[in-house]
Amino acid sequence: MSKKNVLIVESPTKARTLTGYLGREFEVYSSKGHVRDLPAKELGVDVDNDFTPTWVVRDRRVIGSLKKAVTDAERVYLATDPDREGEAIAFDLAELLGNGRGDRFARVLLHEITADAVRSALRSPGKLDPHKVEAQRTRRILDRLVGYQVSPVLSLVLAGRRFEGLSAGRVQSVALRFICDREGEIQRFVPQPFWEVRLLFPTQPEFTAELSERITDRSELDSLHEVLTEAQIRVTGVAEEDVKRRPSPPLITSTLQQTAGAELGFSPRRTMQVAQGLYEGVEIEGKAVGLITYMRTDSTRVSDAAVSEARDFVRKQYGKDYASPRPRRFKNKRRSQDAHEAIRPTTVALTPEEVRRYLKPEQLKLYELIWRRFVATQMADGLWRRRKVEIEAAGRSFRASSSWVVFPGFTSVCPVSSLEDEGLPLPDSLSPGQSLPHPEVDVREKHTEPPGRFTESGLVRKLEREGVGRPSTYAQIVSVVQERGYVRREGGSLRPTLLGQAVSSFLEEYFPETVEEGFTARMEEKLDSIQEGQAARLDVLRELYSRLERRLEKVEDVLAGGEKPFQVLTDVDCEKCGAPMTVRVWKGGLYLGCSNYPSCRSTRNLPPTVPFGLGEDRIELAEALAQADEAPHIQCPACGQPMDLRHGRYGRYMSCPNCRQTSPVYTGVACPSCGAGELVERFAKGRGPFYGCDQYPSCKFTLPGQPAEPCSSCEKGVLYEAPRHGRRCSNKRCPSRG
């Protein structure tokens, strides 16, 4: 009778790929993710008994089928992902399936899923890493302690009930605070005017020189403009220099998410889902092939064999001049665990062109990004030449420059953005001491701008820089703050909702550790220390819980005394008693309640996406609510009675008090697309409020901002309030849009 070998992975897709590689030698099964976890409806951690956790089986049917599969197996290989989570899954499988025969189990680390790599890993299996398992267990207990003990208090304070469903996760709360702090910076920012001065010279070819300094005083500008009209202008210096541009390091998890967001428009979650599919295997000519290495990594390290293959490929495809003089290595960041290689193609021979017909469009885009980025690392630097000219006029220094490509190097494979002065006209004949003809003076007034809101990829960059979270958690953090309703996407940027602002403010006041990046980063470092065998689980849990317990007792004592520990005051006054109203939560929605509750029980509805300002000690809502209550006076089409304006979960609408007929809110602006309809307010989950034609679905014209009037410049579009650009025309070819 032949020996039976069983291989267990966590993903069904990966199981199918490995079955194709291993044939009848192995039976391959999937655990379908984690097999044990803390109980769903209770804390599951005995804080009085050294934080002893209670682990429960997630799906007994899965465990039952796996037990049956390994009963007569001589050898069981656990090939779950090579990270903390994968190690914990492997540990649980060994415990649940061992049945007193734990010596049959072996740990296999698959950093890439190709036939050769898999067989090589199976020839040299290892043992489970108990330190990795301890680190994962500690992280899970930490998250449970914060989530299950702070969240009920948060719900009680903001909603009046402990189980309203508000969440205060250990890492998500820090991300939320980053977004809220940035919003505060933006709202407090006061734009300052400044002026840029350019000289446009009528030479052959014409060129422009820019004042080296920024002018911030209007009187200084007027004085300079006056003297420039009569000033003698001459060239004071001409110089040329080489500009080298070096390839970026190979991608790691954070830079993959950032680059895919910037270049492909992928969210972090989508990026990781597509990358997981490329890692687990894609069917090529009837066989499943893993196209990239493991995609959860913080290391830029690459194997010698992969470097050698890439360099040979570059020499063959582009010539020896395009290969870097020596193998290029990149230094890891200080906090890097260096557990896995950088993200790279399993073989550069499978070019994007070779696999194009086997991949979905999004898979091809991401694979091409990874392939080009990796191949570029072993290519020569790109070389540009820059010519710089210094010009003196009225005692001020002006500069002009132009650059051009000398040798493209790695940019032949991995294109980069043009230099600011690339391709700009500049006469070759300019020389020091040369007088220049009188120029046209071009003055442009500009204003300083506030910092931009975080994009999803920008938030990942911030989390990585501050040491918050780890490669395996970035995508989840970015997603969960949006799923909780704390943050919404607006034009590609992340903006806190009123609920998110309230949650962050409460946590910052009463549980500062949950939103303080330094504390969270130290916790991540301690988890790394546990993984390296240099720290103990109990010490880390005691440190966190001692602080958390003191904070919880403080809030509970205030609540027990009948006081209100925290209120989100607004600039809206109660219509009954005149006291300021506060933001309250009810069934996932927000409303205003009187701060004198329970003596005054006055309430007021809040629109779901009402804009708000951040005052010194309260939320500014009065102006936005006044605008939200403005609506056209229309009669019910069914009974003729005047309709009332209502605010629902999905925006404003009109409702008849007599027959309950409803209608969207009309803007009074005709649709510029079909000409027959009128633009009305609409709302979409994930998009928020927008404006569309009432003839939908026959007319699908939409606008992201409130329409105002037909455009007089082009007579084809309508003017509307664009969220990021102010008032503009909907017609992209309108002269008013420049």
Side-chain angles (χ1 to χ4, degrees), residues 580-629:
M581 303 198 83
T582 65
V583 178
R584 304 288 291 171
V585 182
W586 174 256
K587 293 185 177 180
L590 299 179
Y591 69 97
L592 293 180
C594 183
S595 57
N596 281 335
Y597 178 87
S599 59
C600 178
R601 296 176 178 270
S602 177
T603 62
R604 180 174 177 177
N605 289 336
L606 275 179
T609 56
V610 61
F612 63 92
L614 301 174
E616 287 295 325
D617 60 349
R618 60 196 60 204
I619 298 292
E620 296 172 351
L621 284 168
E623 184 178 347
L625 288 178
Q627 293 177 355
D629 287 340

Side-chain angles (χ1 to χ4, degrees), residues 564-586:
K564 299 173 182 176
F566 181 82
Q567 287 185 310
V568 185
L569 295 174
T570 72
D571 63 346
V572 180
D573 294 331
C574 175
E575 294 179 353
K576 291 185 177 179
C577 70
M581 303 198 83
T582 65
V583 178
R584 304 288 291 171
V585 182
W586 174 256

